[in-house]
């Protein structure tokens, strides 16, 4: 009898209960996920959710961005509020702080129809103060907000290899991670709301500085008579090696599959880099932190925007420097 009963339950009960629980978790994990913002980054991110079996409920301010998802079987809505009405887990991927504010708190925003207990994850890169502001507004509605900006670019978004830097209530991290691991290979908890954004703007400030340094170095080497591929090879086996030199080289002809090989089309736009550097400058001012190289990088990318590079990838700083040297 003892072998046939587990704490007063019949034999086999635990195996049956475990199967039911596993099945329930699997079914729950495939409930619809809302996705707002189907641009260069949001498009492949949402596609990876679809690939992992999640029904996606999509919205983008540009209807043509949604057509591809209709063909994939996703539901397309007419507003962020409609997304919130149909899904209790929503990811947003938008260009800037004003866009994020509008999507969450606007007349047809998520908070107009958000359900209690919903998990709202913002993967945009915005001011940490705005993330904190939105978290308070979301909390008042009985839902949870987490900031989870990404690093890796469009290529990593397509491959599902993004890095997510997550800020928010730690108890909700695993729930967020379940979705984020469908789109990224690294999901890192950073602390309270806003710390994900803090990590992201610090990363992008360093990225901008290293890209400018790589572009300057490659340009100097070329003018000294070095073959750019040879110079890149030497840099990448020496102490000057960095992501901008070995993975995303800014010189046309050095690497394939990067924006510099495609007239700087695609990738991470110069205007977005200028925006992120502006966020870093505001944060540096607020914390009285000296960032002389970050400030210079901000000015260079703002100059690029003013001179016609706004829509080109940020690695076009190499081309910008080449043109400037002839003036």
């Amino acid at each position: 009898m003892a072998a046939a009963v587990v704490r007063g339950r019949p034999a086999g009960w635990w195996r049956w209960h475990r199967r039911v629980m596993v099945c329930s978790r699997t079914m729950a994990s495939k409930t619809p996920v809302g996705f707002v913002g189907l641009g260069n980054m949001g498009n492949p991110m949402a596609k990876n959710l679809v690939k992992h079996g999640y029904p996606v409920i999509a919205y983008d301010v540009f209807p043509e961005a949604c057509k591809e998802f209709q063909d994939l079987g996703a539901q397309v809505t007419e507003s962020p509020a409609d997304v919130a009405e149909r899904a209790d887990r929503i990811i947003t991927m938008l260009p800037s702080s004003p866009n994020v504010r509008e999507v969450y708190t606007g007349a047809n925003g998520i908070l107009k129809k958000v359900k209690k207990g919903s998990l709202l994850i913002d993967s945009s890169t915005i001011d940490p103060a705005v993330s904190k502001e939105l978290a308070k507004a979301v909390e008042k509605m009985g839902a949870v907000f987490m900031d989870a900006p990404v690093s890796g670019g469009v290529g990593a978004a397509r491959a599902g290899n993004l890095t997510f830097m997550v800020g928010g209530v730690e108890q909700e991290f695993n729930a967020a991670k379940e979705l984020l691991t469908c789109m990224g290979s690294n999901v890192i908890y950073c602390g309270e709301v806003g710390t994900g954004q803090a990590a992201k703007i610090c990363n992008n400030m360093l990225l901008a500085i290293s890209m400018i340094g790589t572009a300057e170095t490659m340009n100097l080497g070329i003018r000294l008579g070095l073959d750019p591929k040879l110079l890149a090879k030497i840099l990448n086996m020496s102490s000057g090696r960095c992501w901008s030199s070995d993975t995303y080289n800014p010189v046309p002809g050095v690497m394939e599959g990067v924006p510099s090989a495609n007239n700087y089309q695609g990738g991470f736009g110069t205007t977005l880099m200028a925006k992120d550097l502006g966020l870093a400058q505001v944060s540096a001012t607020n914390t009285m932190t000296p960032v002389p190289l970050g400030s210079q990088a901000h000015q260079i990318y703002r100059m690029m925007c003013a001179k016609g590079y706004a829509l080109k990838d940020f690695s076009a700083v190499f081309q910008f420097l080449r043109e400037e040297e002839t003036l």
Side-chain angles (χ1 to χ4, degrees):
M1 177 67 70
V5 177
V6 179
R7 294 185 181 177
R9 294 183 173 91
W13 174 86
W14 175 249
R15 289 192 297 274
W16 170 83
H17 178 71
R18 188 171 181 273
R19 284 198 300 271
V20 170
M21 290 298 290
V22 169
C23 182
S24 297
R25 284 199 301 271
T26 301
M27 291 179 67
S29 70
K30 302 304 180 185
T31 55
V33 177
F35 206 106
V36 178
L38 301 170
N40 287 341
M41 293 292 291
N43 178 293
M45 288 169 66
K47 282 181 181 174
N48 278 323
L49 286 172
V50 173
K51 287 178 185 176
H52 280 80
Y54 289 94
V56 169
I57 299 172
Y59 171 79
D60 192 277
V61 68
F62 298 108
E64 59 270 23
C66 298
K67 186 179 185 307
E68 188 176 6
F69 286 89
Q70 280 182 311
D71 296 340
L72 291 173
Q75 296 180 51
V76 174
T77 67
E78 296 184 359
S79 72
D82 291 339
V83 174
E85 189 174 37
R86 302 184 196 183
D88 59 12
R89 294 183 293 177
I90 303 171
I91 297 168
T92 52
M93 187 59 164
L94 303 158
S96 66
S97 296
N99 299 124
V100 176
R101 271 204 185 101
E102 178 64 23
V103 160
Y104 279 88
T105 65
N108 293 303
I110 289 170
L111 296 190
K112 292 296 181 183
K113 294 184 179 179
V114 69
K115 303 171 187 174
K116 286 188 176 180
S118 292
L119 176 61
L120 311 178
I121 304 171
D122 180 40
S123 287
S124 318
T125 299
I126 61 174
D127 187 335
V130 174
S131 292
K132 293 176 182 179
E133 168 195 318
L134 291 173
K136 290 178 181 178
V138 169
E139 186 179 5
K140 288 179 181 177
M141 302 300 294
V144 175
F145 177 91
M146 303 188 86
D147 59 307
V150 305
S151 179
V154 175
R158 290 185 184 130
N161 290 331
L162 290 168
T163 292
F164 287 87
M165 293 151 272
V166 185
V169 179
E170 189 170 8
Q171 291 88 330
E172 300 293 338
F173 176 63
N174 285 336
K177 188 175 182 180
E178 177 192 335
L179 296 178
L180 300 181
T181 50
C182 296
M183 302 174 284
S185 53
N186 299 298
V187 182
I188 303 165
Y189 181 69
C190 298
E192 63 183 18
V193 169
T195 56
Q197 298 295 349
K200 175 61 189 291
I201 63 177
C202 287
N203 176 79
N204 275 22
M205 184 174 75
L206 178 58
L207 174 60
I209 292 168
S210 67
M211 181 57 78
I212 294 168
T214 299
E216 289 184 353
T217 298
M218 294 296 296
N219 190 33
L220 175 61
I222 292 167
R223 288 177 67 85
L224 289 171
L226 288 168
D227 176 79
K229 284 189 176 181
L230 174 64
L231 177 56
K233 181 179 179 181
I234 292 168
L235 291 175
N236 294 336
M237 60 176 63
S238 303
S239 56
R241 177 175 175 263
C242 64
W243 189 85
S244 296
S245 69
D246 74 358
T247 304
Y248 211 83
N249 199 284
V251 180
V254 170
M255 295 183 67
E256 296 181 0
V258 293
S260 61
N262 187 35
N263 194 30
Y264 301 103
Q265 299 303 306
F268 185 61
T270 292
T271 187
L272 292 176
M273 179 56 86
K275 181 264 294 184
D276 289 359
L277 288 166
L279 294 174
Q281 292 303 294
V282 170
S283 296
T285 299
N286 290 341
T287 57
M288 300 180 67
T289 305
V291 287
L293 294 181
S295 296
Q296 185 64 33
H298 186 213
Q299 293 305 313
I300 288 172
Y301 279 102
R302 288 179 65 189
M303 287 168 60
M304 288 176 65
C305 289
K307 294 195 174 186
Y309 289 85
L311 299 181
K312 291 199 171 189
D313 181 73
F314 80 107
S315 62
V317 66
F318 173 78
Q319 188 180 62
F320 171 73
L321 292 172
R322 296 275 284 185
E323 290 184 0
E324 286 296 295
E325 73 186 14
T326 63
L327 297 179

